[in-house]
Amino acid sequence: MMPMVFFDCPTAPNPRRVRMVIAEKGLGIETREVSIAAGEHLVPGFLRINPRATLPVLVTEAGQALTETVAIADYLEALHPEPALMGRGIEERAAVLNWNAVVEGQGGRPVFDAFRNSHPAMQDRAVTGVRDYPQIAALAERAQDQVADFHAMIEDRLQQSPFIATDHFTLADITCFVILEFARVIRSPIPAGNRATLSWQRHIRQRPSAAV
């Protein structure tokens, strides 16, 4: 067995999701920072760990490299069940996985599409991975419209529920919170009239894990 190692990038949203999970569970995991801006995710040493060149990565004590945020969260939940970020029982777990996927698809994808297809730092890096792809302005414009729809969907949900998936804080809230915070880089903050979302955001910002 070997020590668990978390490969992180402080500026990227998906690694932040894992940092919040780790913080919520009060875990001490060895962390190594990988700078996407400096291209450190594309060097041979890192590609041997994750050939897809994405972050985050959690290398387990058995040496398995987990490269997907939900898989990492689920693995840590199995080792450290409390607090229950993946839901309590089969019904809540299904709700958390369902809403997390909705948030990733309806919010994360367009936010990241807008960012990667418009931000100067992403020139020729419009798609994750080892290959270079040019930016497409039309994709960024369409994504902005989709982000507006996402804001409306989340506001409607949070008018009905105190949290995204269940009646308590879960991975779905972490995912939504991080995506909405990252949306500032595409100049799409939570609309001023979305009072339920803004209240939820203020509540989560008070959690110690939100500072990581």
Side-chain angles (χ1 to χ4, degrees), residues 178-200:
V178 170
I179 287 170
L180 290 177
E181 294 266 295
F182 190 74
R184 70 183 186 280
V185 302
I186 62 165
R187 298 175 182 171
S188 184
I190 298 169
N194 290 17
R195 295 182 180 179
T197 309
L198 289 169
S199 176
W200 167 88

Side-chain angles (χ1 to χ4, degrees), residues 25 69-81 83-102 164-172:
K25 291 186 175 293
T69 303
V70 176
I72 295 171
D74 195 51
Y75 179 80
L76 294 177
E77 181 100 344
L79 292 177
H80 307 277
L85 298 178
M86 302 299 292
R88 302 175 182 132
I90 188 170
E91 291 293 331
E92 280 197 4
R93 177 179 168 77
V96 171
L97 291 173
N98 185 79
W99 272 103
N100 192 78
V102 168
I164 297 296
T166 71
D167 63 356
H168 62 94
F169 183 81
T170 68
L171 178 67

Side-chain angles (χ1 to χ4, degrees), residues 99 102-103 106-107 110-111 143-161 164 176 179-180 183 188-198 200:
W99 272 103
V102 168
V103 170
Q106 301 299 309
V111 167
Q144 288 282 5
D145 290 339
Q146 292 173 312
V147 172
D149 292 339
F150 177 67
H151 281 306
M153 182 190 74
I154 292 301
E155 175 65 14
D156 180 68
R157 172 59 179 168
L158 290 172
Q159 287 179 5
Q160 303 173 44
S161 173
I164 297 296
C176 192
I179 287 170
L180 290 177
S188 184
I190 298 169
N194 290 17
R195 295 182 180 179
T197 309
L198 289 169
W200 167 88

